[in-house]
Amino acid sequence: MKTTRIALILVLLAAGLLAAFLIFGNPIAKKRSYVLGAIGNFNGKNAQVGVEAFNAINLAYAEYKNTHPNGFDLNILSVDDSWEPSKSLPAYLSCISNVDLLIILTGSSSFMLIYDEVLKHPEILHYALGPTTTLLSGKKDNVVRNLCDMEKEQKMIAEFASSRKIERLLIVTETDFNAKYTEPAARYFQQYAHIPFVDVVGFSGNLMDTDKAREMLQANHYDAMYALIGGMPRESAILIQQARAIQKDIPVLITPWIRGLIFEQALGGENNHIFMPCHLKLFNNPSIDHFSTAYEKMFGAESKEYFSPLMYDLANSLFETLDKTGSAKTSRLLPALISSEFKGTSGTVRFDSYGDAESQMNFYEMMDGVWHDLSPESAANP
């Protein structure tokens, strides 16, 4: 009888321990800890873009720990590539053996310089913000992109431009640093745009050799210019100033990546009739409002750069999925990521079966230095 009673006590004790394990986790198990690498421009020209994006990662993790006090620990390692092609591969190789996960903020051209190395580390999931090149589309690899691919992006931009009743358009592409983005983007844009006359000229953003663009503007009257330059805000602003010295008040369509303090300051007084495609819904968006307030509270200054809220979205989707799977391995993270959806500053974020975001574009016009929403909903509700 005594033996039976002891056995019953042991069974109840074991059941209690099992229940506690299922509810609270294994108290003996080591707490999960990961190293997240972040490669970007932290020391080079236009470094404010990279610094703010890195801050957005830290903000997302601080909020995660606030809501998950017993969640995983994270060491965030910053690695500078200054957005210089010669530094892309060395920066990648310097950190890849020391991280569990990697976020890369860069352009299409620079990312393609390291892509072969990325494929050599299939167990590490790479989160890329910036590279929209179709060279990465439709591939079963270890890369997740927080933006739609270039063809989808340019199709939406072309449809918008076509709706403006433009008869003659000048496209100016940056063919040095951003050629892997700008040259195919120009082809896709022309494929989908219904614009009778389109001229295309290139220049180097490093040299600012815009002679051909200025010659075309002097020789022809254009209804608009498409500054298809990629992520070069200061250079884009200089090009706009040069164009308007020849054709005053020519409307200019820019690429999404350049919106921010650097671009707006470099514009000087040329801050009217600039049209911007944007992955973000800037107005009447509680997620944007929350991000802006939380960023300023944590860092003591407003977030001004385009990529910051998008990086915040990317980091939140990563942390939520990492918490859910309990593993940083691609084989666990990627299936969980593409089977989920996330609410963020760009709306509802979904990924296709290849890990590319299925994002939409919003369009804005700058007038007197202020962005105005051009969506049909905004026109109906001024």
Side-chain angles (χ1 to χ4, degrees):
M1 184 69 175
K2 185 176 180 181
T3 303
T4 303
R5 186 177 300 164
I6 293 173
L8 179 60
I9 292 172
L10 290 174
V11 168
L12 292 173
L13 180 60
L17 288 172
L18 177 60
F21 180 86
L22 293 174
I23 296 171
F24 301 107
N26 184 0
I28 303 174
K30 186 178 179 180
K31 191 173 185 178
R32 290 175 295 156
S33 180
Y34 307 105
V35 177
L36 170 64
I39 298 178
N41 177 12
F42 305 122
N43 297 322
K45 185 169 61 175
N46 301 329
Q48 181 66 21
V49 179
V51 171
E52 277 202 19
F54 187 74
N55 288 347
I57 298 172
N58 281 279
L59 171 61
Y61 181 63
E63 291 184 340
Y64 165 79
K65 287 298 284 185
N66 187 50
T67 55
H68 301 74
N70 296 317
F72 59 81
D73 290 330
L74 190 68
N75 179 24
I76 305 174
L77 174 67
S78 65
V79 182
D80 174 64
D81 66 2
S82 296
W83 281 357
E84 294 179 14
S86 62
K87 294 183 178 180
S88 297
L89 187 57
Y92 181 82
L93 295 175
S94 73
C95 70
I96 190 59
S97 61
N98 301 316
V99 301
D100 302 296
L101 300 145
L102 192 60
I103 291 177
I104 305 173
L105 174 62
T106 189
S108 294
S109 297
S110 292
F111 191 84
M112 294 313 298
L113 292 174
I114 66 171
Y115 185 57
D116 287 344
E117 287 295 328
V118 167
L119 297 179
K120 294 178 183 178
H121 301 276
E123 75 285 358
I124 296 177
L125 195 57
H126 295 62
Y127 287 72
L129 180 55
T132 63
T133 173
T134 50
L135 294 172
L136 296 172
S137 304
K139 293 185 181 295
K140 293 285 188 181
D141 54 21
N142 54 329
V143 178
V144 171
R145 294 189 292 173
N146 205 36
L147 303 172
C148 64
D149 75 22
M150 180 193 302
E151 182 174 1
K152 295 176 182 176
E153 166 200 286
Q154 290 302 314
K155 182 175 186 290
M156 288 184 277
I157 295 173
E159 289 171 348
F160 169 79
S162 299
S163 74
R164 308 298 294 185
K165 309 302 182 185
I166 297 169
E167 291 292 319
R168 188 159 197 152
L169 175 72
L170 176 63
I171 301 177
V172 183
T173 63
E174 199 286 320
T175 55
D176 187 359
F177 178 74
N178 287 315
K180 285 277 195 310
Y181 169 72
T182 61
E183 292 178 350
R187 292 194 294 270
Y188 283 123
F189 177 89
Q190 292 176 86
Q191 176 183 333
Y192 291 107
H194 302 291
I195 297 174
F197 301 100
V198 177
D199 294 320
V200 182
V201 295
F203 80 106
S204 164
N206 290 321
L207 301 176
M208 286 305 296
D209 50 352
T210 58
D211 295 353
K212 290 182 180 178
R214 286 183 281 126
E215 287 171 7
M216 294 297 289
L217 286 160
Q218 288 166 346
N220 305 282
H221 174 77
Y222 292 100
D223 298 308
M225 180 176 77
Y226 183 9
L228 213 175
I229 295 177
M232 304 182 82
R234 185 174 287 105
E235 294 77 3
S236 298
I238 292 171
L239 176 66
I240 291 170
Q241 290 192 32
Q242 291 178 345
R244 288 185 171 171
I246 301 168
Q247 293 191 22
K248 185 175 175 60
D249 295 329
I250 182 173
V252 179
L253 176 65
I254 62 173
T255 46
W257 332 111
I258 65 172
R259 171 185 171 261
L261 186 61
I262 295 170
F263 173 69
E264 292 167 12
Q265 287 181 339
L267 274 176
E270 300 297 340
N271 56 4
N272 285 291
H273 304 301
I274 296 174
F275 297 85
M276 175 184 67
C278 185
H279 300 86
L280 303 165
K281 183 173 173 55
L282 297 177
F283 307 116
N284 300 317
N285 183 349
S287 295
I288 277 281
D289 295 340
H290 167 79
F291 167 77
S292 300
T293 301
Y295 185 98
E296 185 170 4
K297 181 178 180 181
M298 184 167 180
F299 299 105
E302 290 183 59
S303 170
K304 294 286 190 178
E305 300 304 323
Y306 183 79
F307 280 111
S308 306
L310 292 169
M311 183 63 83
Y312 176 73
D313 285 355
L314 186 153
N316 276 325
S317 67
L318 166 60
F319 299 154
E320 184 176 326
T321 310
L322 190 57
D323 187 78
K324 183 191 303 182
T325 61
S327 171
K329 300 298 182 185
T330 300
S331 58
R332 294 284 302 281
L333 272 180
L334 187 55
L337 191 75
I338 63 180
S339 64
S340 306
E341 61 179 44
F342 311 89
K343 298 291 185 182
T345 61
S346 55
T348 300
V349 180
R350 301 182 185 87
F351 295 90
D352 66 16
S353 59
Y354 301 105
D356 292 339
E358 298 177 338
S359 53
Q360 295 295 314
M361 286 288 188
N362 304 282
F363 291 89
Y364 301 87
E365 180 181 8
M366 179 185 281
M367 294 296 295
D368 295 324
V370 178
W371 293 108
H372 298 271
D373 193 351
L374 297 179
S375 66
E377 298 84 1
S378 177
N381 301 285

